[in-house]
Amino acid sequence: MSDKSTEVNFEFRQRLNKIIGGNHHNFCYQCGACVSLCPTAKYSTEFNPRTIMLMALLGLEDKLIAPDSIIWKCTNCYTCYERCPQDVRPVDVITALKNICVAEDRAPDIITRYSAGILDTGVSTPLSVAIAKRREKFGLPKFNITGYDEMKIILDREDSK
Amino acid sequence: MTQIVPFWGCMIPLRYPHIEMAIRKTLANLQMELVEDLPFTCCPDPIYFKARDQFDWLVIAARNLALAEERNLPLLTVCSGCTSTLKEARFLLNEDENLKDRVNTQLKKINREYKGTVNVEHAVVYLRDVLGYDAIQDSIQKRIENLRVAIHYGCHLLKPSQIMHVDDADYPQLLSDLVKMTGAIPVTHEEQLLCCGKGCIDDLIPYEMTSDIFDSVKEAKADCLGLICPTCFSSFDLGQKIIERKLNKKHEIPVIYYFQLLGLAQGLSPEEVGLDQHKIPMKGILD
């Protein structure tokens, strides 16, 4: 029998498949085109989108979903998506993996902190008194968030965690 | 007058309102009428919020798209992040009927529906494709002489090209053409397509990337860096102060958002386009 470490974790892959963009990891044939112009791969010897796709294919949950997972160093620049001949969309697979990290409460704090701002106010940047004054000085219209109530309603769903 | 719906997003109106001022003034000079009574929220952002939960991200984006669709008007973005979210959301929803149905189940709760007919473009793409270069030319009052503007595309205007459909992602021409319209000299350089690094969660890598871009800009003997995204703007303007601290390197390259440059060429003063609001001053470069 083979070594345990080579067994594929299909359960994890099935979980990944269900997330938007996650199923595209199945198309990867490990050619490495995604690495060629990946900016993070240029600046970090640890980061390699091809290896991340391989880890997804093997279902290496412990590494991919670890609190210090390498996936958070992706710049989201979409160069891998542009290069991939198989439509794997590696950046989207990485985003799907990030969604699992968040669901498992293993994401960097900044993700929840930043998202909470949007969920609480409807905008990603708070409207400060200083900015309101500056807008007035520049002759800009008052900034109002009027879509917040509707946003709250559409985010309420039966299947949410 | 051409009617369009501006999607201001969060960063420009709430962090860099001087850029909003420049965009409003230049669009007015181009006879564009802004329809602004739509109750938008954050696009939402294509990196952190999308990393949290993609379905929530898609539902909020679909609502924003549906609002413009109801008016049957094109949606004009001024931030590459908003452009990325809204165009990718549209792509994903149009690609997957089942996903669209699930999203519309949520939108039904507020009596809205995403149909898939809305057009979204970054304002610079709109200038090229809808308004046309002749209309820009006609708005120019005072050509900018002897200013070398290094081009920075940023990632989300061009990539992925199967969604964005803006330009060749490896050999783009759009920003060079637009800079040329103002009289300034567009300067291409080695790292013009490198990411500003903002999305990477790391203490050093983003600043190393940005710093290398500045080295490339200096190598090409440009006077300033021209761009079209508020996140890139933050990485390069405020970013230079952080690079000084973290990497002990001083670059002193002023940064200019394209509509500020266009505004200058339309005869607006540096203050009227908000150039006095930048961390790295343009002073001495514009005379």
Side-chain angles (χ1 to χ4, degrees), chain A residues 135-148:
Chain A
R135 291 184 61 83
E136 204 182 332
K137 190 182 115 194
F138 292 158
L140 297 172
K142 261 207 164 88
F143 190 89
N144 294 313
I145 286 293
T146 42
Y148 175 73

Side-chain angles (χ1 to χ4, degrees), chain B:
Chain B
M1 293 291 258
T2 318
Q3 277 196 333
I4 52 109
V5 177
F7 190 90
W8 294 110
C10 307
M11 246 185 129
I12 286 184
L14 295 172
R15 206 168 149 195
Y16 300 123
H18 68 280
I19 294 181
E20 181 180 330
M21 173 172 71
I23 298 169
R24 283 182 184 275
K25 286 180 178 161
T26 42
L27 291 183
N29 286 335
L30 292 163
Q31 322 304 323
M32 283 165 81
E33 187 190 335
L34 311 185
V35 176
E36 300 207 66
D37 57 335
L38 284 78
F40 292 124
T41 60
C42 178
C43 59
D45 102 89
I47 300 180
Y48 291 171
F49 195 84
K50 192 180 177 192
R52 177 190 157 271
D53 186 304
Q54 281 186 91
F55 189 75
D56 284 354
W57 168 79
L58 204 52
V59 167
I60 299 177
R63 178 182 167 276
N64 285 326
L65 290 167
L67 292 172
E69 217 168 56
E70 285 164 14
R71 299 292 175 90
N72 208 13
L73 286 171
L75 199 49
L76 209 72
T77 51
V78 289
C79 159
S80 299
C82 300
T83 314
S84 174
T85 282
L86 297 174
K87 287 184 83 164
E88 189 174 1
R90 196 182 60 158
F91 175 85
L92 291 171
L93 293 168
N94 295 356
E95 175 184 67
D96 185 342
E97 268 309 308
N98 179 28
L99 191 59
K100 190 163 129 186
D101 288 347
R102 280 170 59 209
V103 165
N104 274 328
T105 303
Q106 295 306 111
L107 295 187
K108 207 164 176 235
K109 296 177 181 176
I110 52 167
N111 296 317
R112 299 195 191 273
E113 186 191 356
Y114 170 78
K115 294 189 182 75
T117 56
V118 67
N119 274 323
V120 187
E121 285 303 347
H122 191 293
V124 289
V125 178
Y126 191 86
L127 291 185
R128 180 192 65 187
D129 295 349
V130 184
L131 219 54
Y133 289 155
D134 286 348
I136 304 173
Q137 198 67 268
D138 291 345
S139 77
I140 305 293
Q141 302 283 328
K142 187 181 149 199
R143 282 173 65 84
I144 301 166
E145 305 290 343
N146 302 319
L147 183 72
R148 291 174 60 82
V149 182
I151 303 290
H152 177 75
Y153 277 91
C155 300
H156 297 152
L157 177 72
L158 303 173
K159 291 177 291 192
S161 50
Q162 75 159 336
I163 295 178
M164 306 317 283
H165 295 292
V166 165
D167 206 336
D168 188 313
D170 295 314
Y171 301 99
Q173 193 58 46
L174 171 63
L175 293 187
S176 287
D177 289 346
L178 284 174
V179 167
K180 231 178 270 171
M181 313 285 317
T182 68
I185 305 152
V187 178
T188 53
H189 57 104
E190 183 76 21
E191 299 292 8
Q192 67 168 346
L193 295 174
L194 182 58
C195 177
C196 79
K198 191 72 176 185
C200 169
I201 302 181
D202 188 85
D203 284 343
L204 273 181
I205 292 173
Y207 306 103
E208 289 171 344
M209 287 179 189
T210 321
S211 187
D212 285 352
I213 292 171
F214 283 123
D215 284 340
S216 163
V217 168
K218 277 188 274 191
E219 178 89 3
K221 299 194 166 35
D223 301 309
C224 61
L225 182 63
L227 43 74
I228 48 107
C229 167
T231 298
C232 295
F233 180 83
S234 162
S235 294
F236 289 111
D237 188 48
L238 174 66
Q240 282 183 69
K241 298 288 176 194
I242 306 173
I243 290 169
E244 255 182 72
R245 209 173 58 229
K246 290 203 181 224
L247 305 179
N248 203 18
K249 279 184 97 167
K250 217 176 162 96
H251 291 292
E252 302 278 341
I253 307 269
V255 183
I256 190 164
Y257 183 93
Y258 179 71
F259 282 85
Q260 294 178 300
L261 189 71
L262 182 57
L264 291 173
Q266 288 176 342
L268 297 168
S269 71
E271 291 73 26
E272 281 176 303
V273 298
L275 282 178
D276 54 341
Q277 302 292 313
H278 297 194
K279 301 271 180 217
I280 310 295
M282 277 294 264
K283 254 189 188 150
I285 290 169
L286 291 165
D287 306 302

Side-chain angles (χ1 to χ4, degrees), chain A residues 90-161:
Chain A
V91 55
D92 286 355
V93 174
I94 289 173
T95 301
L97 289 165
K98 288 176 176 175
N99 288 172
I100 299 179
C101 290
V102 171
E104 296 297 326
D105 205 13
R106 289 186 188 180
D109 289 345
I110 178 118
I111 303 299
T112 25
R113 215 168 52 233
Y114 182 87
S115 300
I118 297 174
L119 295 170
D120 292 345
T121 64
V123 281
S124 66
T125 315
L127 174 60
S128 67
V129 178
I131 288 289
K133 275 190 187 152
R134 207 180 302 165
R135 291 184 61 83
E136 204 182 332
K137 190 182 115 194
F138 292 158
L140 297 172
K142 261 207 164 88
F143 190 89
N144 294 313
I145 286 293
T146 42
Y148 175 73
D149 292 341
E150 284 194 12
M151 186 191 87
K152 284 308 259 190
I153 296 169
I154 57 173
L155 288 183
D156 183 31
R157 61 183 208 261
E158 291 67 43
D159 62 341
S160 62
K161 309 167 291 277

Side-chain angles (χ1 to χ4, degrees), chain A residues 33-47:
Chain A
C34 53
V35 193
S36 61
L37 284 168
C38 168
T40 307
K42 188 177 155 192
Y43 288 84
S44 156
T45 48
E46 297 163 79
F47 189 92

Side-chain angles (χ1 to χ4, degrees), chain A residues 2-14 25 54-61:
Chain A
S2 64
D3 182 343
K4 253 201 162 320
S5 64
T6 60
E7 277 178 21
V8 175
N9 180 350
F10 287 105
E11 212 176 302
F12 180 74
R13 286 181 60 183
Q14 274 156 11
H25 86 276
L54 179 61
M55 289 179 0
L57 287 165
L58 294 170
L60 299 184
E61 184 175 5

Side-chain angles (χ1 to χ4, degrees), chain A residues 50-66:
Chain A
R50 185 190 66 81
T51 314
I52 296 171
M53 292 310 107
L54 179 61
M55 289 179 0
L57 287 165
L58 294 170
L60 299 184
E61 184 175 5
D62 292 347
K63 277 193 178 159
L64 291 168
I65 308 305

